[in-house]
Amino acid sequence: MLIRPRRLRLNSQIRALTAETRLNPSMLVYPIFIREGKNIVEEISAMPGQFRYSPDEKLCYALEKVVNNKISSVLFFGIPDEDKKDEIASPAWDENGVVQQAIRLAKKNFPELNIIADVCMCEYTNHGHCGMVNEKSGVIENDVSLNILERIAISQVQAGADIVAPSAMLDGQVQAIRNALDNENFYDALIFSYAVKYASSFYGPFREAAGSAPSFGDRKSYQMNPRNVREAVKEALTDIDEGADMIILKPALSYLDVIKTVHEKILNPVAAYSVSGEYSMIKAAAQKGWLNETQIISEMAIATARAGADILITYYANELANLMNTGNL
């Protein structure tokens, strides 16, 4: 036989040399939940191994681990005290808000980190939706809500965030935020838009972690229909036209076809967010001894990158980085 494909699979060195998909810790983003208070390290019951941290030395311990693993970026989600939540998400743009505190702390102690701040209202509102709610109809008021998102983004960049990530899936949110940042002379602040965010049941553990479950209805009127792929391309292209520098697609595992399609249609970096439900399913099965956790997370990361993700946002970032740094992935 002249053609023997197995020759390129003979040993680990040859397999590494000829790998078509290559992963590096620099492509990883680690999401972190920041809870208001002091001296808090609180495990999230629905996400074993993940924690809520107060914006003090407890957060610094978590960030130090990230830096030691050569991960360059983190994504902050804020969790204010329940009694501070209101209809307009005012804790989200408070200069002394929980995320703003965390950003300043992180930039002071770990200036080499890219700090990405989630721009949304759901964690900060008493109704749990991502925009203002019309009192009579219960409808999410799209255009009125944009001003709130602008305030949140400006506050986060003023605190030192390198990148803001609008996740509300409201029409025009990227253009509104870009204009607001530019008007404040924050021309270099990047926008990492959740351009393609599907209405998914995979977000369940996150909503427990962040206390962001909607108090009524659902988010299907603003998050994407899982049946649609071409719409994902439209959303991504629209956000790029409005000023997004990079786009995020979530969830990851069940939407690999969408990642591939979007990646082929745009020139900007594409991130896939391996969401809380994906993480928790693996954890639960691994704890039962039903699968090999390390092998599964490696295979999922490879599949996501192979589909076209340039960036991977994942709660397994530290574990994956360790595998990459030791030559095991």
Side-chain angles (χ1 to χ4, degrees), residues 27-233:
M27 73 182 295
L28 299 173
V29 177
Y30 184 47
I32 302 180
F33 297 96
I34 316 295
R35 178 167 183 169
E36 193 160 8
K38 295 182 179 179
N39 203 35
I40 295 172
V41 178
E42 182 178 69
E43 187 166 24
I44 300 166
S45 60
M47 301 176 66
Q50 299 302 308
F51 300 85
R52 303 179 188 93
Y53 299 95
S54 50
D56 51 27
E57 66 275 5
K58 299 301 184 182
L59 174 60
C60 286
Y61 295 148
L63 295 178
E64 184 176 20
K65 183 177 181 180
V66 168
V67 170
N68 289 341
N69 279 327
K70 300 180 182 179
I71 298 169
S72 60
S73 304
V74 292
L75 171 59
F76 285 165
F77 294 97
I79 308 170
D81 289 338
E82 284 293 324
D83 61 358
K84 293 184 179 179
K85 295 183 179 184
D86 57 28
E87 295 180 355
I88 58 173
S90 60
W93 73 81
D94 186 337
E95 65 176 333
N96 292 313
V98 61
V99 161
Q100 286 78 3
Q101 293 178 46
I103 293 168
R104 288 192 290 267
L105 182 72
K107 295 307 293 185
K108 177 181 178 181
N109 292 279
F110 304 95
E112 68 273 33
L113 274 177
N114 289 320
I115 306 300
I116 308 168
D118 182 74
V119 180
C120 198
M121 297 171 63
C122 61
E123 297 110 300
Y124 303 91
T125 55
N126 51 21
H127 48 71
H129 277 284
C130 302
M132 299 277 287
V133 177
N134 184 294
E135 293 182 2
K136 294 182 178 179
S137 66
V139 171
I140 306 304
E141 299 277 14
N142 189 99
D143 294 14
V144 176
S145 303
L146 298 182
N147 179 252
I148 304 296
L149 298 180
E150 292 173 13
R151 293 185 182 186
I152 297 170
I154 290 172
S155 176
Q156 292 171 344
V157 174
Q158 287 175 335
D162 303 287
I163 304 168
V164 291
S167 62
M169 284 297 289
L170 299 182
D171 293 342
Q173 63 179 8
V174 172
Q175 181 175 340
I177 291 171
R178 184 72 271 163
N179 289 340
L181 291 173
D182 288 354
N183 287 338
E184 295 291 328
N185 296 321
F186 291 128
Y187 303 109
D188 292 333
L190 281 76
I191 296 179
F192 200 0
S193 171
Y194 290 76
V196 185
K197 183 178 181 180
Y198 282 93
S200 171
S201 296
F202 281 100
Y203 305 147
F206 176 94
R207 292 173 181 173
E208 187 271 330
S212 62
S215 60
F216 66 92
D218 55 40
R219 296 175 177 149
K220 293 181 180 180
S221 69
Y222 45 103
Q223 294 180 356
M224 276 192 56
N225 186 340
R227 298 177 177 88
N228 295 352
V229 178
R230 288 180 297 171
E231 185 182 15
V233 175

Side-chain angles (χ1 to χ4, degrees), residues 3 5 17 48 73 95 113 126 165 177-178 188 220 241 254 264 266 276 280-281 300 304 308 318:
I3 300 174
L17 177 67
S73 304
E95 65 176 333
L113 274 177
N126 51 21
I177 291 171
R178 184 72 271 163
D188 292 333
K220 293 181 180 180
D241 286 344
S254 296
E264 291 175 346
I266 72 171
S276 59
S280 297
M281 286 194 305
M300 285 178 58
T304 306
N318 282 309

